[in-house]
Amino acid sequence: MSVSQHARPGPTGRPVRASGQDQPYEAVALLAAHIARARAGTGGLVVLRGATGTGRTTALEEARARAAADGLRVLHVRCSPRDAGTPFAVARRLLDLPPAAAGGGGERERDEELWCALRAAAGREALLVAVDDVHRADAPSHRWLVELARHLDGLPAPVLLVVTERTQYDVDPPRQGFAHTLPPALVHTCTLPPLTEETAAALIRARVPDAPPSWAKECARAAAGSPLLLCALLDDLDAPDGQQPVPVTTAALYPGAYPAAVAWWLDSAGRVTTQVARTLAVLDEDWDGTGGSGGTVLAPEQHSGEPQPPDPGDPVEPATLLARVTGAAPARITGWLTAMTGLGLLTQDHAGRPRYAHPLLRDAVLAGVPETWRHATRRAVAEAMLHHGAGTSAIARQLLPTGPVGADWAPDVLQDAAHHALSEGRCEDAAAFLRRALAEPLPDGRRLRLLTELGSLEAAREDSAAGIPRLTEALRLPGDPQERVRAAFALGTVLAARGRARAAVDVLHTVYDQFTDRPDLVGALRTASVLLADGDQELRRDVHRLLRDAAARTPELIGPAARVLLVRHGVTAGLVSAGDAMRQVRQLLTEPVDPLTEPFLLGTAAAVAQWADALDEADRLVERGLAGERPGLLHPMHEAMLHTRADIAAARVGHGRLPVRIPPCCEGPRDTCAGTPGNLHAHTLLALVEQGRPEEARRFADGFDLRDAPPSWELNRFLYARGVQRASVGDHTGALHDFLECGRRQAAREVISPVVTPWRTAAAESRIALGHHREALALAEEELRLARVWGTPRTLGRALRVLGTATGGRRGLELAEEAVRLLRDAPAGAAGELVAALLAQGRQLTAAGERARARACLREAAERAEQAGTVRQSALVEEALREAGARRPAAARTGAASLTDSERRIARLAAEGRTNAEIADLLHLARRTVETHLTSVYRKLGIRRRGELRPALGQDAP
């Protein structure tokens, strides 16, 4: 084995650092020079120092061989820990003396015997005395060798004494070095530092000439500056068919020279240092995210990776943890960490933590360590971190691979870590913490709560079958009644989401029977049953009927959450006006409500407010409802509130400005989408249509197979959207089928009002396109009747516009004009409806021969369509303008010239590198408005990301 970096003695005998060029030869050259001086008649002392594995023994062996070749007599001994108990064992073996007899004289007599033997061995010729690992010599031999060094010039023949000494920093303080009591002028010291990158690369090339640079670099990293480890690793990776990749576990190495070398390094360091090294390896596993399991337990954090999310709590210094767990002195541990980093065995990550230079080295440090020791160490580390105020996530990661702790603090820490992970959106991490918490001994009530939380997380994953059994187990446990109701909510929610609405309602009824003496819990369960029954039309009717009967029979037992559901039913059945509905909702919101039922009240009230175009109020209700939920816990109202939030966004900005997000399941090479389409898919399809992307809309709509889709309100929404898509490309027969099927399904659910899906007016337009005017007129009149009951401008304006088109003539024009007047007062998101009404008015004016009025009306429609981002309507308006005799060319719909002033101003600021929040502050706009404008800018410019704005804006770029 070659040596690595060296130091050579200077004029005063002090060590001098070797240069990079002569690193492999410095120690050998120094010894050769001293051998030549000894042969010329001058002895001396040379101390080869270095850490374990830096090549001290190899350099000494080369010196012995050179001395023998030069005619020097050589005495050699290698010290061993077994020598420690036998006085003068090393010295007698050096001089080839038999072991001393027990009681055979005192130390003075034995010392004299050794001097006589040395004089006899030396004679008159030069002598090399080589002692390897002098730090392991027994104490009498060590003292005798020091005295020999002190009196070399008094011997009859020149004697060169060369000793090797381990000088690695250990946690246990070592005894004083060999030359500690000697005058510096007598000592020539050569220190062998660790390998440099260049030296390691040279050694690898000498062994494997065609080694790829990346492979050689990985080998050098795993060797961690140690020639011993490098040679052992190359032995293990020596394959006849080429270089094996450097593994991260010693199990992949054969014959195992590398882990044996690491074991030798640990044995040389001592018991306490070994314990510290292994405890650090356990900590390192956690920082690396492997948790000692051989695979990732939590979000992995590689040495060069990004930091994990911040963990509330005080960071604990690794040296402090190691000291508390091992009982060693903190100052000694800090020194050891510094020394090992200097040698290259440890490195520092981005957080300044000491890490092993390579995962393979860390694994070798832990090789052969019993799993029980690892678990016990992790528990000790976790307890030490708790004592020092560390964050619960860091403590919980230590507990993940271990068995039950049996202490009260363990489940508290694990549950708190799970909640922190949920707040960061790391659901898999949260589930792992909860599973581990359930391994602790827990009372039934707490186990019920944890099972409910874990079951909710697992059930949220479609590929997991563990959620339903967990929640079922939770319901079997005794515990707090409210927690049992929450478990029933969670189980019912997942059953309903998987098309088992009757089973979901049955679960609630089972729990309902157990709490007949608790009206508050009965009311919560009854309210949840109404929502969970939505997936089964017959069941939905039955549940609503039971709720109405209960309200009529015992109104004092029906709380605000149940009554708001009755309001919603009246709205969808076309029995209540928007004004009356909102008055009832606002009154119910002022009444006291149980925390269990508050989400039902808020979510249902938000849906009614959104239908009534009270969008700001609906937004506040949704955010309040979502904020009040327990993170990660399944609840029947959660998805409903998310859908209402999406409906609010669409109503506020219109589908022309709505960002299009194709679900991941539909972004593959195939034109098929997994699962049943829902409300969000419907919004996506409508946005694609309105934004003038017909081919994308067709592929998206055709990607779903609806033949076996279970009935639901979400499917009805998608049927309506698909009808709009088909009508936009002229397939009025297919569109009419979708609209009528949507209406049939809605009627079966007792959903009559057009506030949810205005399928009648859509079907009427398709019938008009197909020439079925009488049927179209009947549909439009029925929708107008229902729209007058509801009374919002958006709903009324649409019904009036379609009825006017179906009626035609002077009366049709009057209806269209009335629609325009109403829609001018509608929310901003109804701009598309206003464009449609202006278009209908313009066409009827053209038909009536009033072309000048028609052109004015249509030009307003064109401007508003451009502002709303409705490309499809813009094309229809341009066509109507040509029919009305407009001579000017249509306005550009794409490119920089098509941008409105507001869009251009926002695009310039974004191109300068401003964030959306900064743009909103500068222009005094809502952030959502900025996002909407940028979405339109990207579409018009044909770009996808912010970095493309400058070139796309051309001369308008800043």
Side-chain angles (χ1 to χ4, degrees), residues 119-140:
R119 293 188 188 95
R124 295 292 176 178
E125 299 177 358
L127 175 67
L128 171 64
V129 178
V131 182
D132 198 9
D133 288 342
V134 72
H135 54 281
R136 294 183 182 273
D138 60 276

Side-chain angles (χ1 to χ4, degrees), residues 814-901:
E814 291 173 355
L815 291 170
E817 290 172 345
E818 184 181 355
V820 170
R821 285 196 301 274
L822 280 171
L823 287 167
R824 288 191 192 280
D825 297 328
E833 288 295 343
L834 179 56
V835 170
L838 288 167
L839 176 59
Q841 182 185 14
R843 282 174 169 168
Q844 295 202 49
L845 287 169
T846 300
E850 300 184 45
R851 295 192 166 220
R853 285 185 61 200
R855 288 193 293 271
C857 182
L858 292 171
R859 287 192 179 103
E860 181 185 355
E863 182 180 348
R864 291 184 179 274
E866 182 70 23
Q867 293 172 353
T870 55
V871 176
R872 180 183 69 88
Q873 287 185 320
S874 293
L876 294 174
V877 171
E878 288 174 13
E879 181 183 350
L881 273 169
R882 287 193 296 270
E883 292 173 358
R887 296 181 180 179
R888 69 174 180 82
R893 296 198 308 274
T894 59
S898 69
L899 300 180
T900 65
D901 291 341

Side-chain angles (χ1 to χ4, degrees), residues 208-504:
V208 188
D210 57 345
S214 59
W215 184 83
K217 184 176 181 180
E218 192 72 4
C219 286
R221 182 177 160 220
S226 169
L228 172 69
L229 297 185
L230 179 59
C231 290
L233 179 62
L234 293 176
D235 287 343
D236 285 340
L237 298 179
D238 188 12
D241 55 348
Q243 292 82 31
Q244 298 180 19
V246 179
V248 296
T249 172
T250 55
L253 296 178
Y254 182 81
Y258 181 87
V262 173
W264 167 256
W265 169 65
L266 291 173
D267 289 343
S268 301
R271 182 188 62 82
V272 177
T273 302
T274 299
Q275 186 181 7
V276 171
R278 286 174 172 160
T279 304
L280 176 62
V282 169
L283 287 171
D284 194 355
E285 282 183 327
D286 170 55
W287 296 330
D288 204 34
T290 58
S293 63
T296 298
V297 173
L298 297 178
E301 183 188 5
Q302 301 301 332
H303 289 208
S304 59
E306 294 297 323
Q308 293 180 356
D311 185 16
D314 297 326
V316 184
E317 287 294 328
T320 303
L321 280 179
L322 292 170
R324 186 172 180 87
V325 173
T326 62
R332 295 295 302 177
I333 291 178
T334 301
W336 181 80
L337 294 173
T338 302
M340 294 305 100
T341 302
L343 288 174
L345 292 159
L346 299 180
T347 183
Q348 284 191 340
D349 65 7
H350 63 274
R353 298 173 302 201
R355 308 287 298 274
Y356 281 95
H358 194 277
L360 182 64
L361 176 58
R362 179 187 65 209
D363 189 69
V365 169
L366 289 173
V369 174
E371 200 68 17
T372 54
W373 183 91
R374 294 196 194 198
H375 290 175
T377 300
R378 285 186 169 276
R379 286 194 291 270
V381 168
E383 199 159 3
M385 294 172 77
L386 182 70
H387 176 80
H388 287 283
T392 53
S393 294
I395 301 172
R397 281 194 293 270
Q398 291 296 333
L399 295 177
L400 274 179
T402 71
V405 174
D408 292 340
W409 58 265
D412 293 341
V413 163
L414 289 160
Q415 188 174 8
D416 189 68
H419 293 165
H420 176 64
L422 274 178
S423 69
E424 297 283 345
R426 296 178 286 119
C427 296
E428 290 300 317
D429 293 357
F433 289 135
L434 290 173
R435 290 188 197 99
R436 175 60 187 81
L438 285 166
E440 295 290 330
L442 298 167
D444 287 339
R446 184 155 194 190
R447 186 170 295 277
L448 160 64
R449 177 166 180 160
L450 292 180
L451 280 169
T452 303
E453 292 180 358
L454 177 57
S456 295
L457 288 174
E458 291 177 332
R461 289 179 47 192
E462 293 184 1
D463 60 340
S464 173
I468 292 178
R470 299 258 195 211
L471 295 170
T472 304
E473 181 185 354
L475 272 180
R476 294 196 187 106
L477 293 173
D480 179 75
Q482 291 194 340
E483 291 300 329
R484 299 195 71 239
V485 169
R486 288 190 177 97
F489 283 173
L491 180 55
T493 301
V494 66
L495 289 172
R498 298 186 182 182
R500 300 167 60 187
R502 286 191 177 274

Side-chain angles (χ1 to χ4, degrees), residues 77 79-94 97-104 107 110 114 136-145 175:
V77 68
C79 305
S80 166
R82 290 174 295 183
D83 298 327
T86 306
F88 294 105
V90 169
R92 297 187 75 85
R93 284 196 292 113
L94 173 69
L97 295 175
E107 185 170 328
R110 296 183 186 182
L114 293 174
R136 294 183 182 273
D138 60 276
S141 295
H142 194 275
R143 287 194 296 271
W144 184 82
L145 289 169
R175 68 183 180 185

Side-chain angles (χ1 to χ4, degrees), residues 605-681:
V608 174
Q610 182 265 315
W611 291 332
D613 283 337
L615 301 182
D616 291 340
E617 189 171 353
D619 216 355
R620 288 193 297 271
L621 290 169
V622 166
E623 296 310 316
R624 182 178 156 195
L626 291 173
E629 291 184 343
R630 212 158 82 189
L633 206 63
L634 284 177
H635 192 281
M637 205 67 220
H638 179 75
E639 286 295 324
M641 284 192 281
L642 294 182
H643 286 303
T644 301
R645 177 192 273 173
D647 294 344
I648 293 169
R652 179 172 274 134
V653 302
H655 286 99
R657 298 288 190 189
L658 196 68
V660 176
R661 297 181 179 90
I662 303 296
C665 63
C666 302
E667 289 186 329
R670 300 182 304 164
D671 291 335
T672 57
C673 299
T676 302
N679 184 43
L680 299 181
H681 297 98

Side-chain angles (χ1 to χ4, degrees), residues 197 280 303 508 535 744 754 933:
E197 290 184 10
L280 176 62
H303 289 208
L508 298 187
R744 183 189 69 78
H933 278 77

